[in-house]
Amino acid sequence: VTFVKHWARCRKINDPERGTLSSYGYTLMALHYLTNVVAPPVVPNLQIIYHPHQRASKKRRGKAQDGNLDSHVEGCDVRFFDREEEIVSRSRKSAPTGNRQSVGDLLRGFFAYYSQRPSTAQTAPGSRKASFDWVNWTISIRTRGGLLSKDDKNWTRARFINDGVHFGYQYNLLAIEDPFQLDHNVAQTVTRAGISAIRSEFIRAHMIINRVQETPRGWV
């Protein structure tokens, strides 16, 4: 995630005010890939495995009026599995059969996933995919499979924005659902020029990685 954020900054595609994507958006893209695309997954979905009877950390939750720890902030359900000791224990138990790809292999797959054209055989976003469909899909890291259709979110139409920074009609050219504020598209400020630049940079990065990997040792 740190590398991806650094890459986006170096390639100048991480400025929402100029029509590209925030660092938070790239983080969600990376988490979606590591949770739902690679097999076996590298990281668990902490919202899916959340247990309703756990007591959340007081550092992250305020106390409700009845004395119980709050599970909602400004109307958003912010619960997730946060028992760190159990997460560590689960990861150790699954280590022998878990994902053994190197960080380099994972990075190459990340760029491949977002740069290649989706296969015509890929249909509903419920199963694992070889590539991301930018036109039809919404990244949703809270859901099983990590994807929803833009139709499911009603993010297929333009909407008028006037928030003091952006003014005019905006289209959900790239759809990334905030995992807690579900009606918020983290990528709503991405413009046509911005999404073109973002996709071009993913393709460029994927081509460079493949070229380096295919170069015989000693030629570089």
Side-chain angles (χ1 to χ4, degrees), residues 3-4 6-14 20 26 110-112 114-116 134 193-209:
F3 180 92
V4 169
H6 179 71
W7 161 79
R9 183 170 64 251
C10 290
R11 301 307 301 169
K12 296 180 171 50
I13 53 171
N14 71 327
T20 52
Y26 288 108
F110 170 79
F111 284 116
Y114 288 109
S115 65
Q116 296 176 349
W134 296 68
I195 196 168
S196 177
I198 292 169
R199 295 189 68 175
S200 294
E201 290 299 338
F202 269 102
I203 293 171
R204 174 182 181 272
H206 180 50
M207 291 177 61
I208 290 173
I209 292 173

Side-chain angles (χ1 to χ4, degrees), residues 94-106:
S94 65
T97 57
N99 191 294
R100 297 185 180 184
Q101 291 178 262
S102 67
V103 175
D105 285 338
L106 292 169

